[in-house]
Amino acid sequence: MMRDSDIANYPYQLSILYRGRHSCGASLIGERWAVTAAHCTNGLSPKFLHVRAGSSTQGWGGQLVRVKEIHQHKYYSSSLIDYDISVLELASPISHINAKAIPLASAETDIQEGSIGVISGWGTTHESGFTSRHLKAVKVPVVSQAKCRAAYGDLAITDRMFCAGLSTGGRDACQGDSGGPFVIDGMLVGVVSWGIGCARPEYPGVYSNVPALRDFIKSVSGI
């Protein structure tokens, strides 16, 4: 289960709004740049998207900024959910006092099994529930690629993915958290991507691997 949290502790956390309603999470990586999941932007026009920064409450407060351009990875596969990353170019800079960009893990970063990461967002607290009014966060350990592939199948888990969660379940991202951050030691290492259900035993959450996609982020944003 995720716990209520304050945006001041997660100042990089953004809410993506599609036609004015929360749809996904994102991470602020620069004044005018954010990272999210490609499945959150696939087929959408930027004219219908905004991001909200600096607020703990879904749909209220903080700073609202229009998305100028969606830079979705050209190899994104909706069937495999591979290369599940988009870089959002914002129409104006984020300047809210409670908003701050997060450093990105380098391409050389090795995401170690057992490392504890923090996930956050306004997603549902259980499968088929309602999205959360208040920002929530939880800590989960990274699991090995071998365990991840044992759960989902060798071909389902590519080198652009990693898994995190408890074998007993109980802690995970869920619907509405997609595109949000997975943070280890203050660095963005993952993006909430997919999984079977939410917080189910033996089915860890799957995250886009930021180090593996780092060159793409830099080629678009310069960051």
Side-chain angles (χ1 to χ4, degrees):
M1 291 289 291
M2 286 199 177
R3 297 171 182 256
D4 281 358
S5 304
D6 194 302
I7 195 70
N9 297 321
Y10 308 95
Y12 47 82
Q13 174 79 54
L14 302 175
S15 167
I16 297 179
L17 290 82
Y18 173 65
R19 295 182 182 267
R21 294 176 65 89
H22 172 80
S23 61
C24 277
S27 300
L28 186 68
I29 63 166
E31 279 189 335
R32 292 175 178 264
W33 297 98
V35 167
T36 190
H39 78 262
C40 289
T41 63
N42 196 41
L44 301 185
S45 165
K47 69 181 180 180
F48 297 122
L49 295 180
H50 289 75
V51 299
R52 188 185 302 278
S55 175
S56 302
T57 308
Q58 186 197 143
W60 183 88
Q63 181 184 0
L64 204 58
V65 171
R66 186 173 59 82
V67 174
K68 178 183 177 183
E69 197 70 52
I70 298 167
H71 301 271
Q72 185 171 298
H73 202 292
K74 66 180 181 180
Y75 293 138
Y76 170 65
S77 165
S78 56
S79 56
L80 300 174
I81 324 179
D82 199 6
Y83 294 93
D84 189 18
I85 195 162
S86 285
V87 177
L88 303 180
E89 186 175 352
L90 307 180
S92 53
I94 298 285
S95 57
H96 196 275
I97 190 169
N98 285 332
K100 184 181 179 183
I102 187 168
L104 292 155
S106 72
E108 291 73 39
T109 300
D110 183 21
I111 303 171
Q112 297 278 345
E113 177 185 5
S115 298
I116 303 298
V118 180
I119 45 179
S120 49
W122 292 270
T124 62
T125 52
H126 57 275
E127 292 178 34
S128 304
F130 294 99
T131 54
S132 302
R133 178 86 170 136
H134 199 85
L135 180 67
K136 295 183 181 294
V138 71
K139 294 179 179 179
V140 288
V142 174
V143 304
S144 69
Q145 288 293 82
K147 286 181 182 175
C148 189
R149 288 177 171 136
Y152 291 108
D154 288 348
L155 299 179
I157 304 300
T158 73
D159 291 342
R160 274 76 55 190
M161 306 172 192
F162 69 91
C163 285
L166 300 172
S167 60
T168 53
R171 297 185 195 175
D172 198 4
C174 206
Q175 287 83 20
D177 291 319
S178 287
F182 185 96
V183 175
I184 297 175
D185 295 334
M187 305 280 285
L188 185 69
V189 301
V191 175
V192 178
S193 185
W194 64 280
I196 291 179
C198 301
R200 294 187 189 182
E202 307 303 335
Y203 284 107
V206 185
Y207 299 84
S208 298
N209 185 317
V210 167
L213 297 161
R214 185 70 182 86
D215 290 346
F216 165 72
I217 299 171
K218 186 164 187 178
S219 70
V220 173
S221 66
I223 296 170

